[in-house]
Amino acid sequence: MTKVAIIGAGPCGLSMLRSFEQAEKEGEKIPEIVCFEKQEDWGGLWNYSWRTGSDQYGDPVPNSMYRYLWSNGPKECLEFADYSFDEHFGKPIPSFPPREVLYDYIIGRVNKGNLKKKIKFNTRVVNTKFKDEKFEISYQDKVNNKILKDNFDFVVVSTGHFSVPFIPEYKGMKSFPGRIMHSHDFRDAEEFRDKNVIVLGSSYSAEDVALQCNKYGAKSVTIGYRHNPMGFKWPKGMKEVHYLDRLEGKKAIFKDGTKQEADVIILCTGYLHHFPFLEENLQLKTGNRLYPPKLYKGIVWQDNQKLLYLGMQDQFHTFNMFDCQAWYARDVIMNKIKIPNNKEIESDINKWVTMEEKLENPDQMIDFQTEYTKELHEMSNYPKIDFELIRKHFKEWEHHKVEDIMTYRNKSFSSPVTGSVAPIHHTPWASAMDDSLKTFLDK
Ligand SMILES: Cc1cc2nc3c(=O)[nH]c(=O)nc-3n(C[C@H](O)[C@H](O)[C@H](O)COP(=O)(O)OP(=O)(O)OC[C@H]3O[C@@H](n4cnc5c(N)ncnc54)[C@H](O)[C@@H]3O)c2cc1C
Ligand SMILES: NC(=O)c1ccc[n+]([C@@H]2O[C@H](COP(=O)([O-])OP(=O)(O)OC[C@H]3O[C@@H](n4cnc5c(N)ncnc54)[C@H](OP(=O)(O)O)[C@@H]3O)[C@@H](O)[C@H]2O)c1
């Protein structure tokens, strides 16, 4: 019997498990599956942890989510085609839920089945080798500190790529008398009340961590971008300036001449695609981009087509794109989708990578990832979902952010699955200090 290893039980790993479950329900004989998850529970980044650094077993904590995180895109854009928000919550809910609400939704879908028994929790894959047409996986039972081995025909890597921080050094850091940290270790914005905060970076973490600090009472927030400013209309107490040149004592000095007193530096400088648990010739080596090279259809490892990667792209689309990838991967594993010859693989990858390299603005990037997801969607029996509406929503959302970064989370969108329109949330995001599921769902 074909044996499949899934590494990671975050949203991607759960999509993979769900795809097999659906095939089984339709009467198909599915392979034997073992999912390895190094945390004690499922949900990946959405399984919030107060921990930073390493866990009780000495293993680095993968979690990068923080207490007051709310969805940064409309929930309608990530809705599962086979499990709507209306079905889970029994009513339409607002478009930008906090972390706990989205976690509840992700887990609601998998809790319905018997999937948990396929997962080995507290189990970390430490090495994967390909020999004699099989993958030999070594894994650590963290609780008993034992290394074990097993062989598989296929390996699905769904370990995420926002867990290992990229930490650059700036001049003067060694003698800076305040706190220096990466957004990976950011947990609670309250910590920075009345502090002068410097945020370095210009992507989603920089934007949101900076806004959080402002919202929860930081004295000042100064964002230092490297290449391009985000350029939003920042609220009082925030500014965006060009690149940190150096720190002199408590003073941050930027390339544009700005000088700012600093108590804390938060590096929102992104993450590394890091796969130390795969032998080198199986490792995807890429930055955070919309079409990482060497992955056919963004999934199948070009040099060994029994190795599949999920969710390795930079992400506009998330959960339903992961589903489309998982359904495709399932059909490759079950031999329902045939992988073409090496020449065709090479030319398909080149086509997408070349297109990606020409993208100039967020609208084009949204179009690119929508086209990619739609193509995958058409190749499997993943249920119907309106990706054209999702495309439209993403563009509208981008424009809302440009209009007002403080209010874009108060808007409402319609579901690409049920068509229902989200109610406006009872409290505008900027004044909603309690992000619990109960408060969010209360009328
Ligand atoms: C701060 C932050 C906020 C985000 N907010 C949003 C948002 O609002 N909306 C949105 O759609 N997306 C958001 N994302 C994007 C996020 O990438 C996806 O939502 C999603 O979590 C990706 O799922 P994944 O399964 O690929 O990875 P992850 O969620 O990272 O899950 C990977 C799993 O693999 C496990 N694992 C890793 N290595 C091993 C190993 N060697 N052995 C065994 N298990 C292993 C980890 O423990 C983890 O459980 C956010 C990301 C970050 C960093
Ligand atoms: N729900 C939410 O609200 C929320 C909040 C935070 C994050 N997220 C998610 O988390 C994921 C990761 O986002 P991310 O922003 O952490 O990573 P990212 O999108 O990969 O961005 C990395 C950023 O680091 C900058 N950078 C890299 N090296 C630098 C250096 N030496 N100095 C200054 N800047 C440097 C890059 O700038 P250049 O452009 O100059 O290279 C880029 O702006 C995304 O999927 C995002 O959606 C969501």
Side-chain angles (χ1 to χ4, degrees):
M1 191 184 203
T2 304
K3 218 169 145 189
V4 181
I6 301 172
I7 314 178
C12 282
L14 296 179
S15 292
M16 198 65 240
L17 287 167
R18 174 78 170 183
S19 71
F20 280 118
E21 181 185 49
Q22 292 307 98
E24 194 169 34
K25 270 193 191 145
E26 285 156 22
E28 295 186 53
K29 188 152 175 43
I30 63 164
E32 185 184 339
I33 296 162
V34 181
C35 177
F36 299 95
E37 172 50 60
K38 70 186 201 131
Q39 299 190 71
E40 63 194 0
D41 211 343
W42 53 10
L45 294 176
W46 296 92
N47 173 28
Y48 175 74
S49 174
W50 59 268
R51 289 179 189 277
T52 56
S54 45
D55 66 14
Q56 65 272 46
Y57 308 108
D59 188 22
V61 171
N63 213 287
S64 302
M65 290 234 175
Y66 37 89
R67 182 152 289 154
Y68 304 121
L69 184 136
W70 292 47
S71 175
N72 62 349
K75 74 177 199 308
E76 288 75 10
C77 292
L78 53 77
E79 191 163 13
F80 299 124
D82 63 348
Y83 189 68
S84 68
F85 279 97
D86 291 357
E87 179 181 347
H88 180 73
F89 291 102
K91 61 178 184 186
I93 65 161
S95 286
F96 291 85
R99 173 184 51 71
E100 197 185 336
V101 178
L102 277 179
Y103 177 69
D104 198 67
Y105 172 62
I106 298 165
I107 299 310
R109 176 170 81 151
V110 283
N111 255 338
K112 289 195 137 192
N114 255 336
L115 295 177
K116 220 165 192 175
K117 66 176 193 315
K118 295 196 191 289
I119 306 174
K120 285 184 190 295
F121 290 104
N122 276 319
T123 306
R124 178 174 67 102
V125 171
V126 291
N127 199 16
T128 308
K129 285 190 229 165
F130 190 69
K131 58 176 192 192
D132 305 329
E133 292 306 302
K134 296 254 183 209
F135 293 96
E136 183 192 84
I137 287 193
S138 309
Y139 58 96
Q140 182 200 21
D141 164 353
K142 287 167 60 169
V143 178
N144 298 302
N145 194 14
K146 281 211 154 29
I147 300 285
L148 301 154
K149 282 188 183 166
D150 202 350
N151 290 317
F152 295 90
D153 301 291
F154 289 87
V155 170
V156 179
V157 180
S158 47
T159 50
H161 57 91
F162 294 128
S163 288
V164 180
F166 168 62
I167 308 183
E169 183 169 1
Y170 287 83
K171 219 162 126 194
M173 275 183 162
K174 272 192 189 146
S175 49
F176 178 66
R179 173 136 189 239
I180 302 174
M181 61 186 287
H182 190 277
S183 55
H184 173 59
D185 295 325
F186 181 85
R187 289 292 180 271
D188 191 333
E190 286 281 2
E191 184 185 345
F192 305 109
R193 188 174 287 282
D194 299 325
K195 301 267 193 262
N196 291 305
V197 180
I198 307 288
V199 168
L200 300 179
S202 54
S203 185
Y204 295 101
S205 291
E207 171 197 316
D208 201 50
V209 166
L211 285 171
Q212 293 270 329
C213 291
N214 175 271
K215 178 173 165 180
Y216 286 88
K219 191 163 162 191
S220 72
V221 181
T222 306
I223 306 169
Y225 69 89
R226 180 171 58 172
H227 291 117
N228 300 303
M230 290 176 273
F232 297 117
K233 291 174 205 127
W234 301 106
K236 194 164 166 283
M238 284 179 72
K239 60 180 180 294
E240 192 176 18
V241 300
H242 183 216
Y243 209 40
L244 181 66
D245 186 55
R246 62 193 186 278
L247 296 162
E248 283 180 5
K250 278 195 97 175
K251 203 159 277 166
I253 300 165
F254 292 87
K255 297 266 189 211
D256 63 1
T258 305
K259 290 187 178 147
Q260 172 66 50
E261 194 75 3
D263 299 307
V264 53
I265 315 286
I266 308 179
L267 296 162
C268 296
T269 43
Y271 293 85
L272 301 172
H273 282 65
H274 191 62
F275 308 102
F277 53 87
L278 298 172
E279 67 180 348
E280 203 191 342
N281 59 356
L282 303 176
Q283 282 180 13
L284 171 65
K285 294 185 178 173
T286 181
N288 188 22
R289 56 187 289 181
L290 289 171
Y291 212 90
K294 287 186 82 86
L295 291 181
Y296 177 64
K297 298 295 171 206
I299 300 167
V300 183
W301 183 238
Q302 185 174 13
D303 298 341
N304 182 334
Q305 293 144 24
K306 293 184 166 189
L307 175 67
L308 305 130
Y309 281 89
L310 302 184
M312 289 304 152
Q313 298 68 15
D314 193 7
Q315 294 154 12
F316 283 93
H317 294 261
T318 54
F319 303 161
N320 46 38
M321 178 178 79
F322 303 157
D323 272 3
C324 289
Q325 294 185 326
W327 259 248
Y328 178 91
R330 176 199 69 190
D331 288 353
V332 169
I333 293 169
M334 291 177 66
N335 213 13
K336 290 199 276 180
I337 289 179
K338 300 272 178 278
I339 303 294
N341 63 38
N342 290 343
K343 210 167 148 223
E344 278 180 63
I345 291 181
E346 177 81 15
S347 108
D348 193 76
I349 293 176
N350 285 344
K351 180 189 86 179
W352 284 100
V353 169
T354 310
M355 274 196 289
E356 185 221 15
E357 283 165 355
K358 291 191 183 131
L359 302 175
E360 286 177 350
N361 57 49
D363 275 8
Q364 289 179 3
M365 293 174 192
I366 290 165
D367 282 334
F368 177 85
Q369 199 162 61
T370 307
E371 289 305 323
Y372 162 70
T373 309
K374 278 181 71 176
E375 184 184 282
L376 279 184
H377 184 226
E378 279 158 24
M379 294 169 93
S380 78
N381 68 350
Y382 186 61
K384 189 165 169 281
I385 176 165
D386 189 348
F387 280 116
E388 285 310 319
L389 185 67
I390 293 177
R391 184 203 302 265
K392 195 169 142 271
H393 284 349
F394 268 130
K395 290 184 180 177
E396 211 175 305
W397 159 76
E398 275 289 345
H399 297 141
H400 288 161
K401 288 179 72 175
V402 173
E403 271 163 39
D404 191 342
I405 194 68
M406 295 302 281
T407 60
Y408 81 91
R409 282 190 171 106
N410 305 334
K411 307 281 187 189
S412 148
F413 291 84
S414 59
S415 164
V417 181
T418 61
S420 71
V421 177
I424 300 285
H425 187 40
H426 51 69
T427 313
W429 172 82
S431 49
M433 309 312 263
D434 173 356
D435 69 341
S436 66
L437 179 135
K438 185 178 174 309
T439 301
F440 185 78
L441 295 179
D442 272 358
K443 279 234 153 67

